[in-house]
Amino acid sequence: MFCKNCGQQLAEGAAFCPNCGMTVTQPDTAPAASEQPAAEQGTAQQPPYTQPQQPYTQPQQPYGQYPGYGMPQVSQEPASGGLRFLCWLIPLVGIILYFVKKDEKPVYAKQCGVAALVSIIMCVVFYFLSFLMTMFTAASLY
């Protein structure tokens, strides 16, 4: 007798399949009148399953993390000193470079963005100090 779930050969009188744990229904002891051997019916009897099918397992890595599957290569290349100076001198260049390169070259983009922000902060502080000095100078003249 064979298990109907996995095809494992079972001992006579077994209530459960030792391979898959499926409950085994006991066949009737007397074959029905419509049941005839396969050779008499004219069809070949198929052999039972020899091995249970292996369950589907997930791949070791998630799909998107395999190299070359549509993910851009991330570079850790730093920005050159001249480029950082340019970003400091003209902050708009640094801001544009930050937003354009932040996905493919994060270190490069961060250095350009930081140089631009430092320049902007320095300009604001310089203008504020110049305004205060102008106000104090104008107040001292009157």
Side-chain angles (χ1 to χ4, degrees), residues 29-51:
T29 55
S34 64
E35 293 182 21
Q36 296 176 0
E40 294 177 8
Q41 292 178 356
T43 59
Q45 186 178 12
Q46 294 181 348
Y49 296 109
T50 56
Q51 293 181 358

Side-chain angles (χ1 to χ4, degrees), residues 69-126:
Y69 279 83
M71 294 191 64
Q73 295 293 327
V74 177
S75 171
Q76 298 299 323
E77 173 189 343
S80 67
L83 183 61
R84 286 185 279 178
F85 179 72
L86 179 67
C87 293
W88 177 80
L89 195 59
I90 308 171
L92 185 61
V93 171
I95 292 170
I96 290 171
L97 283 174
Y98 173 76
F99 284 110
V100 169
K101 299 289 185 178
K102 70 180 180 179
D103 292 330
E104 59 193 41
K105 294 183 178 182
V107 174
Y108 175 95
K110 183 178 178 183
Q111 289 178 346
C112 291
V114 166
L117 285 176
V118 167
S119 176
I120 291 170
I121 291 170
M122 287 177 63
C123 286
V124 169
V125 169
F126 176 74

Side-chain angles (χ1 to χ4, degrees), residues 47-70:
Y49 296 109
T50 56
Q51 293 181 358
Q53 292 182 350
Q54 295 295 324
Y56 174 75
T57 58
Q58 293 290 330
Q60 295 296 327
Q61 292 179 327
Y63 174 74
Q65 292 184 3
Y66 285 111
Y69 279 83

